[in-house]
């Protein structure tokens, strides 16, 4: 017995008339795009005309002029004699310092607090709940000002707190020991990163094999070889020097070491604590979204709760956690622009100073928008790629 496939209805001929839905849809799309382009062109011409009437120059030629602005906190070399372009690069680096480190710390703290909220320990779960509810309900700007005022209230450099040897906390910020980074040290760090990535890949394969046959395989030999022995061998071959520079008090300030300025430290703490409260709720809801039967099945197999959480529950919860987590990463990055409230010189602060000195308002604001748009799109692309990678594939 043969079955006949249904025949498709013949395609209607295209008529150049608005009565045809296809022509009507194309016409309205072209009309809307044309109106949008016309509005943008009118706004641009109006802005150029007003600027020319007021004799305000346009363009980005000002980036090549001497900036003349001091920047107190910079990880790259800068002097007021450098150009505005160099100043913008310093501001970009300062923004990335806050965004990248803040995202990492907020993820770690938020994950730990979210897991603590589900703890069977009553005191631990209540403390985590208070942490979340208090920090989520207070405005970020208020928290930022609180931490900044708290930093300013610390003792002076001569009376700085010294919790451990080589670490000082005062109104000059947090001063830590540092290790000079030469070329040989950078090669060693690169070897450490490569070894860590390879170790994580090997560890994932060993866990997958354990899931198949139930036989545990030790991972410490791979950790010892890839994360410890490999960087040590590279450090010996390139002659890296790992001398630690301890900060010293000389006069009214510290010399040597790594200094985290009060403005940067207050901004980082505020962003991390505020964002981690939201991440904690995302992690908690993601774990609770995993069926309880997964816990019961792992317990029936004799697996430890920590192993079940790390290798069974959390991988499934990530499919629920990643999309809202992306929004929190974007919020943290954009909220870093509040640095201007405490005087931390990020890209927004430097652009504002440049605007006041040169009068290039449109160009300065355009640079700020381009920087935040680029960073946000980069975060979105990476998180979307990771979300697609761990997504469930239907068979």
């Amino acid at each position: 017995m043969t079955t006949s496939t249904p025949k498709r209805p013949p395609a209607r001929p295209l008529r150049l008339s608005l009565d045809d839905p296809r022509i009507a849809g194309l016409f309205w799309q072209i009309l809307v795009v044309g109106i949008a382009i016309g509005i943008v062109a009118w706004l641009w011409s109006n802005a150029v005309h007003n600027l020319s009437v007021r004799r305000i120059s346009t363009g980005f030629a000002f980036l090549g002029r001497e900036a003349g602005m001091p920047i107190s906190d910079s990880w790259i070399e800068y002097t007021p004699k450098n150009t505005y372009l160099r100043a913008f690069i310093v501001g970009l680096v300062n923004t990335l310092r806050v965004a990248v480190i803040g995202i990492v710390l907020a993820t770690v703290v938020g994950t730990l607090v979210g897991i603590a909220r589900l703890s069977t320990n009553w005191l631990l779960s209540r403390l985590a709940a208070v942490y979340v509810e208090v920090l989520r309900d207070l405005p970020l700007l208020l928290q930022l000002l609180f931490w900044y005022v708290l930093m300013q209230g610390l003792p002076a450099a001569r009376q700085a707190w010294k919790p451990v040897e080589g670490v000082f906390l005062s109104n000059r910020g947090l001063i830590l020991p540092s290790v000079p980074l030469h070329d040989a040290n950078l090669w060693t760090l690169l070897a450490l990163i490569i070894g860590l990535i390879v170790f994580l890949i090997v560890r994932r394969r060993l866990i997958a094999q354990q899931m198949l046959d139930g036989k545990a395989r030790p991972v410490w030999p791979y950790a010892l070889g890839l994360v410890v022995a490999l960087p040590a061998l590279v450090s010996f071959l390139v002659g890296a020097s790992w001398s630690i520079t301890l900060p010293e008090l000389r006069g009214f300030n510290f010399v040597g070491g790594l200094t985290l300025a009060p403005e940067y430290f207050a901004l980082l703490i505020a962003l991390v604590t505020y964002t981690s409260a939201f991440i904690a709720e995302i992690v908690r809801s993601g774990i609770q979204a995993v069926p309880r039967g997964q816990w019961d099945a792992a317990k029936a197999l004799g697996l430890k709760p920590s192993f079940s959480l790390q290798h069974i529950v959390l991988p499934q919860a990530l499919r629920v956690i990643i999309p809202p987590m992306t929004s929190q990463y974007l919020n943290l990055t954009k909220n870093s622009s509040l640095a201007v409230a405490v005087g931390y010189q990020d890209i927004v602060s430097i652009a504002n100073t440049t605007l006041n000195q040169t009068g290039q308002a449109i160009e300065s604001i355009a640079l700020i928008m381009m920087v935040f748009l680029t960073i946000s799109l980069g975060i979105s692309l990476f998180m979307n790629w990771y979300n697609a990678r761990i997504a469930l594939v239907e068979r």
Side-chain angles (χ1 to χ4, degrees):
M1 181 179 180
T2 60
T3 57
S4 59
T5 57
K7 295 182 179 180
R8 294 181 179 179
R12 293 186 302 172
L14 187 65
R15 296 183 302 163
L16 296 178
S17 173
L18 291 179
D19 295 333
D20 192 318
R22 292 169 293 179
I23 296 297
L26 182 61
F27 169 78
W28 287 112
Q29 292 180 41
I30 295 175
L31 181 61
V32 170
V33 172
I35 292 174
I37 293 175
I39 293 175
V40 172
W42 178 80
L43 292 174
W44 176 258
S45 63
N46 188 48
V48 171
H49 173 72
N50 291 333
L51 290 173
S52 62
V53 168
R54 291 166 176 78
R55 297 181 180 179
I56 299 177
S57 60
T58 57
F60 293 92
F62 72 97
L63 293 175
R65 302 206 306 260
E66 180 179 321
M69 73 173 75
I71 300 178
S72 58
D73 190 5
S74 172
W75 275 11
I76 62 177
E77 185 179 352
Y78 173 83
T79 63
K81 294 184 179 181
N82 289 127
T83 62
Y84 282 109
L85 178 60
R86 183 74 175 182
F88 271 99
I89 294 175
V90 172
L92 173 60
V93 173
N94 287 348
T95 297
L96 291 176
R97 283 174 58 192
V98 176
V100 175
I101 298 177
I103 286 174
V104 174
L105 294 179
T107 303
V108 174
V109 175
T111 302
L112 294 177
V113 174
I115 295 174
R117 287 211 62 184
L118 299 174
S119 174
T120 55
N121 186 308
W122 184 88
L123 179 60
L124 181 61
S125 62
R126 295 286 78 77
L127 289 176
V130 170
Y131 177 91
V132 170
E133 295 302 330
V134 170
L135 293 178
R136 284 200 313 171
D137 295 337
L138 292 176
L140 176 57
L141 181 58
L142 181 62
Q143 296 185 41
L144 174 58
L145 295 176
F146 167 79
W147 288 110
Y148 183 66
V149 171
L150 192 64
M151 290 293 299
Q152 295 299 317
L154 292 175
R158 288 182 176 274
Q159 293 81 33
W161 295 344
K162 190 178 180 181
V164 295
E165 184 65 29
V167 177
F168 298 90
L169 184 62
S170 69
N171 57 8
R172 299 298 180 93
L174 179 64
I175 297 89
L176 305 170
S178 64
V179 177
L181 293 180
H182 307 293
D183 292 340
N185 301 60
L186 294 177
W187 281 111
T188 305
L189 290 177
L190 179 61
L192 174 62
I193 294 173
I194 295 175
L196 183 61
I197 293 174
V198 175
F199 167 71
L200 293 176
I201 295 174
V202 172
R203 178 173 174 270
R204 183 174 180 179
R205 290 184 178 274
L206 293 178
I207 293 174
Q209 293 176 1
Q210 180 182 353
M211 292 295 184
L212 292 176
D213 56 20
K215 182 180 179 182
R217 294 169 175 81
V219 297
W220 66 265
Y222 299 96
L224 186 63
L226 294 171
V227 183
V228 178
L230 178 61
L233 177 61
V234 173
S235 177
F236 174 76
L237 293 177
V238 300
S241 175
W242 298 98
S243 58
I244 300 177
T245 302
L246 295 176
E248 297 179 1
L249 180 62
R250 294 182 184 177
F252 297 97
N253 205 350
F254 293 95
V255 177
L258 176 64
T259 300
L260 301 181
E263 297 80 10
Y264 172 77
F265 197 46
L267 177 63
L268 185 63
I269 292 178
L271 289 175
V272 169
T273 53
Y274 180 77
T275 309
S276 64
F278 291 90
I279 291 178
E281 286 297 275
I282 294 172
V283 172
R284 180 186 64 84
S285 60
I287 293 176
Q288 290 182 328
V290 178
R292 181 65 191 178
Q294 298 291 319
W295 289 98
D296 297 336
K299 186 177 181 180
L301 292 174
L303 300 178
K304 296 180 179 180
S306 59
F307 184 90
S308 303
L309 176 65
Q310 183 179 359
H311 301 292
I312 297 176
V313 177
L314 276 181
Q316 299 180 68
L318 282 177
R319 300 179 179 98
V320 180
I321 291 174
I322 292 300
M325 192 87 80
T326 303
S327 298
Q328 294 306 317
Y329 291 166
L330 296 176
N331 289 338
L332 187 148
T333 303
K334 291 179 289 188
N335 288 336
S336 66
S337 61
L338 291 175
V340 69
V342 294
Y344 177 68
Q345 292 175 291
D346 68 334
I347 188 68
V348 176
S349 176
I350 291 177
N352 286 337
T353 305
T354 302
L355 187 154
N356 294 328
Q357 291 181 352
T358 63
Q360 309 285 153
I362 296 178
E363 293 82 356
S364 299
I365 295 175
L367 287 173
I368 297 175
M369 295 173 62
M370 182 179 66
V371 166
F372 279 102
L373 181 62
T374 303
I375 297 175
S376 299
L377 288 177
I379 294 174
S380 298
L381 289 175
F382 174 78
M383 296 300 292
N384 289 336
W385 167 82
Y386 183 69
N387 186 43
R389 185 174 178 272
I390 65 174
L392 287 172
V393 179
E394 297 183 0
R395 296 180 180 178

